[in-house]
Amino acid sequence: MKVILRDSEKHIALTSPAEFFALRSEAFFEAPENMREEMPEVYRLLCQFYRQQPVPLAIAGM
């Protein structure tokens, strides 16, 4: 599932840090694979913030 921001959401996310956080948090839970690929640093920070890893880490030897 790919979360696509509407133009109005993009504008809000770029002008308000709180809205950016809200929109990226939503994507973190709804489409974590996509977020990890497109915004790896934001994904990593949200993993730390929420103390969750929605996309499982690769297991060595598999």
Side-chain angles (χ1 to χ4, degrees):
M1 177 178 165
K2 187 169 185 169
V3 174
I4 299 173
L5 295 177
R6 295 185 301 266
D7 287 337
S8 61
E9 290 174 328
K10 288 179 187 176
H11 176 71
I12 291 169
L14 293 174
T15 59
S16 170
E19 287 297 331
F20 177 84
F21 179 76
L23 291 169
R24 294 298 88 209
S25 291
E26 182 178 351
F28 177 76
F29 290 107
E30 291 186 0
E33 297 90 359
N34 182 52
M35 174 176 246
R36 188 173 85 171
E37 289 176 19
E38 292 185 11
M39 301 182 84
E41 286 299 311
V42 174
Y43 175 82
R44 184 185 59 78
L45 290 171
L46 290 176
C47 283
Q48 292 173 351
F49 181 79
Y50 289 114
R51 297 179 184 202
Q52 295 194 22
Q53 186 76 39
V55 178
L57 297 173
I59 298 173
M62 291 194 90

